[in-house]
Amino acid sequence: MGLTYQRILLKLSGEALMGDLAYGIDPEVVRSIAQEITEIVAEGVEVAIVVGGGNIFRGVKGAASGMDRATADYIGMIATVMNAMTLQDALERNDVQTRVLTAIEMQEVAEPYIRRRAIRHLEKGRVVIFGAGSGNPFFTTDTTAALRAAEINAEVVFKATKVDGVYDADPKLNPEARRFQSLTYSYVLTHDLRVMDTTAIALCKDNNIPIIVFNLSVSGNIRRAVMGESIGTIVGGSCEII
């Protein structure tokens, strides 16, 4: 089976890097993710990544505790850079050239985000990791993923999560919950399914970028998604339920 997608935007939550830990980064999980990315890069896939920071600091929670929201969000952005650098290190240990580009300048540790530079890195076969979100408070890393995907002309957004798709009910609470195979953007928005935040969904809808939601913890799922196998749920098609 050949490649279905040539240039992808992979959205990783900060929690995805925790594994079973209560806080921080599990090196084994990072190594596993890096290995899967290494395999698809070797097949010629151009990979851009947006990583969250919730395993270290989440701006919304900081604001809920009384912190100024903008300040809390900036701290969260810095947390994403820590995760980006950790993932960069794991990829480069696999001899994959990787560049971290940040929306907040940190020139001693990463390059500033410049759209044309990011695209050039991808064309040269380098993995690009976008850190510091969009550089603006009040916007999530989901929105950053949709924005960067549109900017670099990515063909798809892969939303790697801890569940195997989008359900019509919470599968933890309802054992009869059914998984959607595909969904329209409008259905996600009108039914508030929380696949990604509404701004991210709207951006993908406006730019006709499909979103594929799948379980990151299943080994080989990133490659299966790149190859076009039917895993998880695709947002951007018709509404079909399994």
Side-chain angles (χ1 to χ4, degrees), residues 28-168:
E28 288 302 319
V29 170
V30 175
R31 277 193 283 270
S32 175
I33 294 171
Q35 182 57 41
E36 291 209 39
I37 295 169
T38 298
E39 291 171 5
I40 64 171
V41 169
E43 298 193 39
V45 181
E46 297 175 2
V47 181
I49 303 169
V50 169
V51 61
N55 57 319
I56 299 171
F57 188 91
R58 184 178 291 279
V60 172
K61 287 187 177 179
S65 68
M67 183 179 289
D68 175 75
R69 173 61 190 273
T71 299
D73 281 352
Y74 280 121
I75 296 171
M77 291 179 214
I78 295 169
T80 71
V81 178
M82 296 167 67
N83 285 336
M85 293 175 65
T86 300
L87 190 54
Q88 178 187 38
D89 178 78
L91 286 164
E92 292 191 335
R93 287 173 184 268
N94 288 350
D95 297 321
V96 177
Q97 290 191 35
T98 308
R99 299 290 186 271
V100 174
L101 275 63
T102 61
I104 299 173
E105 289 195 20
M106 304 181 187
Q107 294 190 31
E108 286 76 13
V109 296
E111 299 177 17
Y113 171 70
I114 299 171
R115 174 179 174 269
R116 288 179 178 271
R117 179 180 291 179
I119 292 172
R120 186 61 175 152
H121 284 321
L122 291 169
E123 291 172 344
K124 289 189 173 185
R126 299 167 183 153
V127 172
V128 174
I129 307 175
F130 298 116
S134 66
N136 300 292
F138 305 102
F139 290 92
T140 69
T141 49
D142 278 350
T143 295
T144 301
L147 175 63
R148 297 290 185 248
E151 288 182 303
I152 65 171
N153 302 315
E155 298 166 301
V156 64
V157 171
F158 287 159
K159 169 81 170 179
T161 71
K162 293 183 177 181
V163 295
D164 61 347
V166 182
Y167 285 78
D168 63 349

Side-chain angles (χ1 to χ4, degrees), residues 186-197:
S186 297
Y187 189 94
V188 172
L189 290 170
T190 56
H191 289 77
D192 194 25
L193 292 182
R194 308 291 178 99
V195 175
M196 299 172 83
D197 66 70

Side-chain angles (χ1 to χ4, degrees), residues 10 33 36-37 40 158 214 216 220-226:
L10 176 64
I33 294 171
E36 291 209 39
I37 295 169
I40 64 171
F158 287 159
F214 64 90
L216 180 65
N221 259 0
I222 296 177
R223 186 179 185 278
R224 293 186 188 98
V226 168

